[in-house]
């Protein structure tokens, strides 16, 4: 009957496969974003000429931001690089950890005894006697514990090798099963670390398993479902669709930019005190040039009062549409 056990080497192979599947695409994506310069190249292709000093400064910022060194100054890019380095370190560590398994060789009695495959029984017996004298455990009593263990292992190997070539039953077993002891029981390994089987870790493993099963997995599923149901198949918030449907019925066409500014997506836009003067100046210029309605439509007032972000977006949309720079 097969034995089922936890095997650290199997875990190393499993971990190596999982990490590689995740890390390689992540690395390619990171390198692409790091060395691509789409924004700057588009500006160069179109031979874009700035009309104001503000536009010129913004273009210079875009071009500088496309520099690899500048990208690393970004906190998000730097953290991604650190995570990637850690992942590749783990992959390399696991690779070397599994490298020892490549040294596992099939049982070969001729190689163990240092004999050619055409050797006679007499030659095999002489080789066995010579090696058994060298590796007999009694000769290593005064040696270290490691030397004694190694000598015992070597003596067992040469004994099995001799039996496999001289004893009829052992020889038949070796020919049939590759082992002089006969058919070996099947061993099954699980790709999990061996410490999970330690008795002192059982309570901790059980608690972590319950937390993952009862708390983490349901929370992730609930969070995903909660977020996904907020969006339509066009990846637009359903609330935005409701706003459009409600306002477009009785709103003049000149207020369309206002309705767009009321999209629910804009409610997370930060309101910075340093932007207030610029926004006020822009709004004043838009009103002076009659590029924006002085007063929003009556059915949109509540939205502007409740979420100040909409007023900011409304000004920015009109300024962009009219190529206005503060």
């Amino acid at each position: 009957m097969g034995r089922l056990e936890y095997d650290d080497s199997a875990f190393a192979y499993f971990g190596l496969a999982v990490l590689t599947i995740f890390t390689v695409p992540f690395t390619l994506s990171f390198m692409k974003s790091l060395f691509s310069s789409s924004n700057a190249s588009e500006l160069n292709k179109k031979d874009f000429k700035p009309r104001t000093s503000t536009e010129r400064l913004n273009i210079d910022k875009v071009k500088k931001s496309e520099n690899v060194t500048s990208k690393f100054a970004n906190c998000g890019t730097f953290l991604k690089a650190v995570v990637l380095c850690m992942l590749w370190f783990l992959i390399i560590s696991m690779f070397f950890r599994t490298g020892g398994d490549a040294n596992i060789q099939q049982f070969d009695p001729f190689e163990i005894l240092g004999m050619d495959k055409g050797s006679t029984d007499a030659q095999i017996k002489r080789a066995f006697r010579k090696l058994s004298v060298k590796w007999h455990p009694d000769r290593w009593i005064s040696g270290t514990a490691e030397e004694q263990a190694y000598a015992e292992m070597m003596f067992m190997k040469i004994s099995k090798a001799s039996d496999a070539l001289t004893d009829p039953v052992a020889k038949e077993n070796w020919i049939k099963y590759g082992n002089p002891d006969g058919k070996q029981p099947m061993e099954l390994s699980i790709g999990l670390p061996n410490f999970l089987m330690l008795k002192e870790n059982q309570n901790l493993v059980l608690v972590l398993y319950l937390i993952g099963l009862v708390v983490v997995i349901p929370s992730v599923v609930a969070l995903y479902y909660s977020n996904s149901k907020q969006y339509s198949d066009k990846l637009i918030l359903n609330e935005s669709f409701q706003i459009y449907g409600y306002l477009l019925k009785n709103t003049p066409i000149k207020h369309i930019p206002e309705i767009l500014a009321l999209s629910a997506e804009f409610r997370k836009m930060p309101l910075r005190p340093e932007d207030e003067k610029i926004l006020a100046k822009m709004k004043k210029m838009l009103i002076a040039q009659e590029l924006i309605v002085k007063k929003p439509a009556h059915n949109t007032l509540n939205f502007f009062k409740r979420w100040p972000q909409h007023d900011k977006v409304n000004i920015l949309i009109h300024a962009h549409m009219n190529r206005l720079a503060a």
Side-chain angles (χ1 to χ4, degrees), residues 246-252 259 262 296-303:
Y246 169 69
L247 295 177
L248 286 173
K249 292 179 181 178
N250 304 308
T251 305
I259 296 175
L262 295 177
H298 70 281
N299 54 356
T300 64
L301 288 173
N302 289 333
F303 292 97

Side-chain angles (χ1 to χ4, degrees), residues 116-181:
D116 296 328
K117 292 192 175 181
S119 302
T120 63
D121 289 348
Q123 291 174 325
I124 292 171
K125 289 178 181 179
R126 279 199 300 270
F128 169 69
R129 282 195 295 268
K130 182 179 178 181
L131 290 172
S132 63
V133 170
K134 178 181 178 180
W135 293 110
H136 197 283
D138 291 344
R139 292 196 61 187
W140 296 87
I141 293 177
S142 59
T144 63
E146 291 181 357
E147 290 174 339
Q148 291 179 26
Y150 185 75
E152 187 175 347
M153 182 268 293
M154 287 298 299
F155 187 77
M156 187 181 299
K157 282 180 69 175
I158 60 177
S159 297
K160 284 187 176 183
S162 176
D163 290 342
L165 297 176
T166 56
D167 183 84
V169 177
K171 190 172 184 178
E172 185 180 357
N173 286 334
W174 176 60
I175 293 171
K176 283 185 177 181
Y177 308 112
N179 194 305
D181 294 331

Side-chain angles (χ1 to χ4, degrees), residues 213-228:
L213 189 65
V214 179
V215 179
V216 177
I217 294 177
S219 299
V220 171
V221 173
L223 184 63
Y224 173 78
Y225 177 74
S226 175
N227 289 333
S228 62

Side-chain angles (χ1 to χ4, degrees), residues 8-29:
D8 282 337
S9 63
F11 172 69
Y13 280 111
F14 175 75
L16 185 62
V18 172
L19 284 174
T20 304
I21 290 171
F22 172 77
T23 306
V24 171
F26 184 27
T27 303
L28 293 175
S29 174

Side-chain angles (χ1 to χ4, degrees), residues 67-97:
N67 185 277
V68 175
T69 307
S70 300
K71 288 181 179 180
F72 266 108
N74 180 276
C75 183
T77 304
F78 180 75
L79 287 176
K80 285 181 181 179
V82 171
V83 171
L84 267 178
C85 289
M86 293 173 64
L87 288 172
W88 279 111
F89 175 77
L90 285 173
I91 288 175
I92 294 171
S93 300
M94 288 190 172
F95 177 78
F96 282 109
R97 185 176 176 181

Side-chain angles (χ1 to χ4, degrees), residues 11-296:
F11 172 69
Y13 280 111
F14 175 75
L16 185 62
V18 172
L19 284 174
T20 304
I21 290 171
F22 172 77
T23 306
V24 171
F26 184 27
T27 303
L28 293 175
S29 174
F30 177 75
M31 297 299 287
K32 183 179 179 181
S33 65
L34 191 63
F35 292 102
S36 64
S37 55
S38 55
N39 293 331
S41 60
E42 285 298 318
L43 289 172
N44 292 330
K45 284 179 185 177
K46 295 178 181 178
D47 195 21
F48 182 79
K49 294 181 179 180
R51 291 161 296 184
T52 64
S53 58
T54 304
E55 284 187 353
R56 189 176 294 105
L57 287 173
N58 289 335
I59 291 172
D60 291 338
K61 286 181 181 179
V62 169
K63 290 182 177 180
K64 286 180 181 178
S65 66
E66 297 293 349
N67 185 277
V68 175
T69 307
S70 300
K71 288 181 179 180
F72 266 108
N74 180 276
C75 183
T77 304
F78 180 75
L79 287 176
K80 285 181 181 179
V82 171
V83 171
L84 267 178
C85 289
M86 293 173 64
L87 288 172
W88 279 111
F89 175 77
L90 285 173
I91 288 175
I92 294 171
S93 300
M94 288 190 172
F95 177 78
F96 282 109
R97 185 176 176 181
T98 57
D101 293 343
N103 297 325
I104 298 174
Q105 298 178 351
Q106 196 172 8
F107 178 80
D108 187 346
F110 288 105
E111 184 178 347
I112 293 171
L113 295 174
M115 304 295 294
D116 296 328
K117 292 192 175 181
S119 302
T120 63
D121 289 348
Q123 291 174 325
I124 292 171
K125 289 178 181 179
R126 279 199 300 270
F128 169 69
R129 282 195 295 268
K130 182 179 178 181
L131 290 172
S132 63
V133 170
K134 178 181 178 180
W135 293 110
H136 197 283
D138 291 344
R139 292 196 61 187
W140 296 87
I141 293 177
S142 59
T144 63
E146 291 181 357
E147 290 174 339
Q148 291 179 26
Y150 185 75
E152 187 175 347
M153 182 268 293
M154 287 298 299
F155 187 77
M156 187 181 299
K157 282 180 69 175
I158 60 177
S159 297
K160 284 187 176 183
S162 176
D163 290 342
L165 297 176
T166 56
D167 183 84
V169 177
K171 190 172 184 178
E172 185 180 357
N173 286 334
W174 176 60
I175 293 171
K176 283 185 177 181
Y177 308 112
N179 194 305
D181 294 331
K183 189 175 182 180
Q184 299 298 299
M186 180 180 63
E187 294 186 3
L188 299 177
S189 297
I190 299 176
L192 292 173
N194 200 35
F195 71 83
L196 293 177
M197 291 294 290
L198 298 177
K199 191 173 181 179
E200 57 268 26
N201 294 334
Q202 288 180 355
N203 292 334
L204 177 62
V205 171
L206 181 61
V207 170
L208 293 176
Y209 174 77
L210 289 175
I211 291 174
L213 189 65
V214 179
V215 179
V216 177
I217 294 177
S219 299
V220 171
V221 173
L223 184 63
Y224 173 78
Y225 177 74
S226 175
N227 289 333
S228 62
K229 74 175 184 178
Q230 295 179 21
Y231 292 88
S232 68
D233 56 348
K234 303 292 184 181
L235 298 181
I236 298 174
L237 285 172
N238 290 321
E239 188 176 355
S240 295
F241 274 121
Q242 293 173 0
I243 292 170
Y244 303 153
Y246 169 69
L247 295 177
L248 286 173
K249 292 179 181 178
N250 304 308
T251 305
I253 194 168
K254 65 179 180 179
H255 291 286
I256 293 296
E258 293 175 29
I259 296 175
L260 180 61
L262 295 177
S263 301
E265 286 84 350
F266 294 129
R267 292 172 189 169
K268 294 182 179 180
M269 178 178 285
L271 294 174
R272 298 174 297 191
E274 59 268 25
D275 294 340
E276 291 181 4
K277 287 185 178 180
I278 299 175
L279 290 171
K281 183 180 177 182
M282 279 186 175
K283 189 172 184 179
K284 189 175 181 180
M285 292 170 64
L286 289 167
I287 293 174
Q289 299 178 39
E290 297 184 352
L291 299 175
I292 189 173
V293 291
K294 293 182 180 180
K295 193 174 183 180

